[in-house]
Amino acid sequence: MSSRISPTGDGASLAPATLDAPGAAELQNELRELRLEVAALRTQLARRSAEAESHRRRLVAARNEAERYASQLRALRSSTSWSITRPLRMRRRKALNNGWT
Protein backbone atom coordinates (compact mmCIF):
# COMPACT_ATOMS: atom_id res chain seq x y z
CA MET A 1 0.00 0.00 0.00
CA SER A 2 1.27 3.45 -0.85
CA SER A 3 2.19 5.87 1.91
CA ARG A 4 1.09 8.82 -0.19
CA ILE A 5 -2.22 10.52 0.40
CA SER A 6 -4.84 11.52 -2.11
CA PRO A 7 -6.19 15.05 -1.88
CA THR A 8 -9.25 14.04 -3.90
CA GLY A 9 -9.87 10.69 -2.26
CA ASP A 10 -9.90 8.92 -5.62
CA GLY A 11 -6.57 7.14 -5.28
CA ALA A 12 -4.56 9.74 -7.21
CA SER A 13 -1.56 10.63 -5.08
CA LEU A 14 0.57 13.70 -4.76
CA ALA A 15 4.10 13.67 -6.00
CA PRO A 16 6.50 12.81 -3.18
CA ALA A 17 7.91 15.80 -1.36
CA THR A 18 11.53 16.52 -2.07
CA LEU A 19 13.59 15.47 0.94
CA ASP A 20 15.59 18.70 0.96
CA ALA A 21 12.49 20.93 0.61
CA PRO A 22 11.99 23.20 3.62
CA GLY A 23 9.41 21.77 6.02
CA ALA A 24 9.27 18.32 4.38
CA ALA A 25 10.23 16.54 7.62
CA GLU A 26 7.60 18.44 9.55
CA LEU A 27 4.97 17.52 6.96
CA GLN A 28 5.98 13.86 7.10
CA ASN A 29 5.74 13.91 10.91
CA GLU A 30 2.33 15.57 10.75
CA LEU A 31 1.16 13.01 8.21
CA ARG A 32 2.41 10.17 10.43
CA GLU A 33 0.60 11.66 13.45
CA LEU A 34 -2.60 12.11 11.47
CA ARG A 35 -2.48 8.51 10.28
CA LEU A 36 -2.03 7.34 13.87
CA GLU A 37 -4.98 9.47 14.93
CA VAL A 38 -7.13 8.06 12.13
CA ALA A 39 -6.20 4.51 13.16
CA ALA A 40 -7.06 5.28 16.80
CA LEU A 41 -10.38 6.81 15.77
CA ARG A 42 -11.23 3.78 13.63
CA THR A 43 -10.49 1.50 16.58
CA GLN A 44 -12.66 3.65 18.83
CA LEU A 45 -15.46 3.63 16.23
CA ALA A 46 -15.34 -0.16 15.99
CA ARG A 47 -15.50 -0.47 19.78
CA ARG A 48 -18.40 1.98 20.05
CA SER A 49 -20.26 0.25 17.22
CA ALA A 50 -19.92 -3.08 19.03
CA GLU A 51 -21.20 -1.47 22.25
CA ALA A 52 -24.17 0.04 20.40
CA GLU A 53 -25.03 -3.35 18.89
CA SER A 54 -24.84 -4.94 22.34
CA HIS A 55 -27.19 -2.28 23.71
CA ARG A 56 -29.58 -2.83 20.79
CA ARG A 57 -29.69 -6.56 21.52
CA ARG A 58 -30.34 -5.91 25.22
CA LEU A 59 -33.11 -3.44 24.34
CA VAL A 60 -34.81 -5.93 22.04
CA ALA A 61 -34.60 -8.60 24.75
CA ALA A 62 -36.06 -6.21 27.34
CA ARG A 63 -38.91 -5.22 25.02
CA ASN A 64 -39.67 -8.88 24.33
CA GLU A 65 -39.71 -9.59 28.06
CA ALA A 66 -42.00 -6.61 28.72
CA GLU A 67 -44.39 -7.79 26.01
CA ARG A 68 -44.36 -11.29 27.49
CA TYR A 69 -45.26 -9.89 30.94
CA ALA A 70 -47.98 -7.66 29.46
CA SER A 71 -49.44 -10.67 27.67
CA GLN A 72 -49.45 -12.68 30.90
CA LEU A 73 -51.15 -9.81 32.72
CA ARG A 74 -53.83 -9.51 30.03
CA ALA A 75 -54.45 -13.26 30.22
CA LEU A 76 -54.72 -13.11 34.01
CA ARG A 77 -57.14 -10.18 34.00
CA SER A 78 -59.35 -11.79 31.36
CA SER A 79 -59.50 -15.09 33.25
CA THR A 80 -62.60 -16.39 35.00
CA SER A 81 -60.89 -16.53 38.38
CA TRP A 82 -59.97 -12.83 38.13
CA SER A 83 -63.61 -11.95 37.43
CA ILE A 84 -64.90 -14.16 40.26
CA THR A 85 -62.50 -12.77 42.86
CA ARG A 86 -63.13 -9.12 42.00
CA PRO A 87 -65.57 -8.53 44.88
CA LEU A 88 -63.05 -10.00 47.33
CA ARG A 89 -60.28 -7.73 46.05
CA MET A 90 -62.55 -4.68 46.35
CA ARG A 91 -63.53 -5.52 49.96
CA ARG A 92 -59.91 -6.10 50.90
CA ARG A 93 -58.85 -2.81 49.30
CA LYS A 94 -61.56 -0.93 51.20
CA ALA A 95 -60.54 -2.57 54.46
CA LEU A 96 -56.87 -1.71 53.95
CA ASN A 97 -57.62 1.89 53.00
CA ASN A 98 -60.20 2.42 55.76
CA GLY A 99 -62.93 2.73 53.20
CA TRP A 100 -61.01 4.95 50.76
CA THR A 101 -60.76 3.52 47.29
Side-chain angles (χ1 to χ4, degrees):
M1 184 170 168
S2 173
S3 64
R4 296 180 188 134
I5 59 169
S6 168
T8 61
D10 62 359
S13 62
L14 294 172
T18 309
L19 292 178
D20 56 346
E26 291 84 10
L27 289 175
Q28 288 177 346
N29 286 336
E30 184 179 353
L31 179 59
R32 189 175 311 112
E33 289 173 12
L34 289 172
R35 285 184 175 150
L36 289 173
E37 185 178 350
V38 167
L41 289 171
R42 284 182 176 155
T43 301
Q44 185 178 15
L45 176 62
R47 186 175 60 250
R48 297 278 169 93
S49 295
E51 288 174 6
E53 184 58 33
S54 173
H55 290 306
R56 273 191 218 89
R57 283 192 302 268
R58 288 176 51 204
L59 178 61
V60 167
R63 284 181 176 163
N64 288 340
E65 185 177 16
E67 181 54 40
R68 196 169 49 249
Y69 289 142
S71 176
Q72 289 175 354
L73 184 59
R74 284 190 300 272
L76 173 79
R77 288 186 173 167
S78 66
S79 70
T80 302
S81 64
W82 187 260
S83 299
I84 291 171
T85 59
R86 184 171 190 259
L88 295 172
R89 290 192 311 276
M90 296 308 243
R91 283 190 196 125
R92 182 173 186 269
R93 185 177 298 142
K94 277 188 173 187
L96 290 175
N97 293 327
N98 295 324
W100 294 93
T101 56

